[in-house]
Amino acid sequence: KILFMLMMIIGTLITVTSNSWLGAWMGREINLLSFIPLMSDSNNLKSTEASLKYFLTQALASTVLLFSVILLMLKNNMNYETNSSFISMIILSTLLMKSGAAPFHFWFPNLMEGLTWMNSLLLMTWQKIAPLMLISYLNLKNLLLISVILSVIIGALGGLNQTSLRKLMAYSSINHLGWMLSALMISESVWFVYFLFYSFLSFTLTFMFNIFKLFHLNQLFSLFSQNKMMKFILFMNFLSLGGLPPFLGFFPKWIVIQQMTYCNQYFQLFIMLMSTLITLFFYLRICYSAFMLNYYENNWVTNWQINNFVMKLYLLMTFFSI
């Protein structure tokens, strides 16, 4: 697994540092082929199905990407008569599909359902770096705008009736991806700040879920019934991920909001803020139920205390307000 992790990191780095589309495509392929063995887990029956789904979607996107790159080469080297903005649109749509942004998001929540928490974390954070970096090279504001609006709306509405924590995190990730894409439209540094904060918050939450083997909402309710403080901090992290002021997760959103008002993108900002309110609504709903309902039916959820100093440190760091 160390080998595959290393290959995955190298693949992303090749993509980010390459100076041609072909090199970028090659890096994406290395990344894909090393992520699939990481996904397949002998203990999890769904992981084989998930890795196959991931392979099919990414292979489709890669094929179309390679096709459009060849078209671009023909246009530039052979003076072929093709519309370059059309080719850029194809490239952008493949990259959106690779990152899991709406309207190409359908594979993403289903796939998350079959993964372990650590793989889910990789899929939500590391696997987004390369496609988003490539998207920043393309100057297609209109198509990106459509994708941003769809991503934030679908990410907000999709999470409303979910009981699975992985699907909840997947829809939250789609919503955050909409924010990241609009941050990319402004500047790369704004995107980078947003991405770092999002990765940090996601890491803390998924690490918690992984330690306590949490996969569904009803497990959250019976967890920490003796240790109320731990429960409180965990749910504050939820709200922080949703972007509620004064927590840490609001800070990157604040930067994006400020930059977008400078650029007079009020309509887009309004839609993004409304959708974030919906995500906050379902996070708050979960927090309310978890604090109000204390039931002990789930005897298999062991209430063991966290003695992990690093974990406590992470939780406290994300718990800090702006």
Side-chain angles (χ1 to χ4, degrees), residues 193-256:
V193 168
Y194 196 104
F195 182 78
L196 278 181
F197 276 93
Y198 168 66
S199 304
F200 182 57
L201 288 166
S202 295
F203 171 75
T204 311
L205 271 175
T206 44
F207 207 69
M208 275 293 280
F209 293 153
N210 193 37
I211 286 179
F212 291 103
K213 298 283 174 283
L214 301 174
F215 296 107
H216 295 278
L217 282 184
N218 57 354
Q219 288 173 287
L220 281 180
F221 300 158
S222 55
L223 186 75
F224 304 131
S225 45
Q226 275 77 44
N227 190 350
K228 290 284 185 288
M229 196 61 212
M230 220 47 225
K231 198 173 195 175
F232 192 71
I233 291 181
L234 173 70
F235 284 110
M236 288 304 143
N237 275 313
F238 249 122
L239 295 180
S240 184
L241 185 73
L244 182 76
F247 299 115
L248 194 66
F250 174 62
F251 181 58
K253 280 194 163 64
W254 191 11
I255 297 173
V256 174

Side-chain angles (χ1 to χ4, degrees), residues 109-149:
N110 288 336
L111 192 124
M112 283 273 286
E113 195 59 28
L115 295 182
T116 58
W117 274 120
M118 284 301 129
N119 283 336
S120 304
L121 180 67
L122 282 177
L123 192 65
M124 287 190 297
T125 54
W126 184 261
Q127 294 296 80
K128 285 194 177 17
I129 296 175
L132 285 169
M133 282 301 292
L134 291 179
I135 286 171
S136 66
Y137 304 150
L138 295 165
N139 190 17
L140 283 173
K141 288 280 193 287
N142 299 339
L143 199 60
L144 259 184
L145 181 66
I146 295 168
S147 181
V148 165
I149 290 172

Side-chain angles (χ1 to χ4, degrees), residues 165-176:
L165 283 176
R166 280 173 294 197
K167 277 196 174 168
L168 202 77
M169 291 296 278
Y171 281 112
S172 162
S173 179
I174 292 171
N175 183 286
H176 280 285

Side-chain angles (χ1 to χ4, degrees), residues 293-312:
L293 304 173
N294 275 335
Y295 60 97
Y296 302 97
E297 287 158 31
N298 302 354
N299 296 330
W300 66 85
V301 179
T302 48
N303 273 318
W304 40 286
Q305 312 292 323
I306 288 195
N307 294 322
N308 191 336
F309 173 70
V310 182
M311 194 61 229
K312 280 183 175 164

Side-chain angles (χ1 to χ4, degrees), residues 44-76:
N44 191 351
L45 290 172
K46 275 189 174 177
S47 68
T48 331
E49 179 193 348
S51 45
L52 189 62
K53 276 179 188 168
Y54 186 71
F55 173 72
L56 286 175
T57 46
Q58 299 291 324
L60 172 66
S62 292
T63 316
V64 181
L65 179 66
L66 186 62
F67 170 69
S68 43
V69 166
I70 291 169
L71 277 183
L72 259 184
M73 283 180 170
L74 280 175
K75 183 184 181 303
N76 295 339

Side-chain angles (χ1 to χ4, degrees), residues 141 181-188 190 256 259-260 263 265:
K141 288 280 193 287
L181 286 171
S182 54
L184 257 187
M185 287 161 76
I186 303 159
S187 80
E188 219 162 89
V190 175
V256 174
Q259 294 298 328
M260 283 176 76
C263 302
Q265 298 171 333

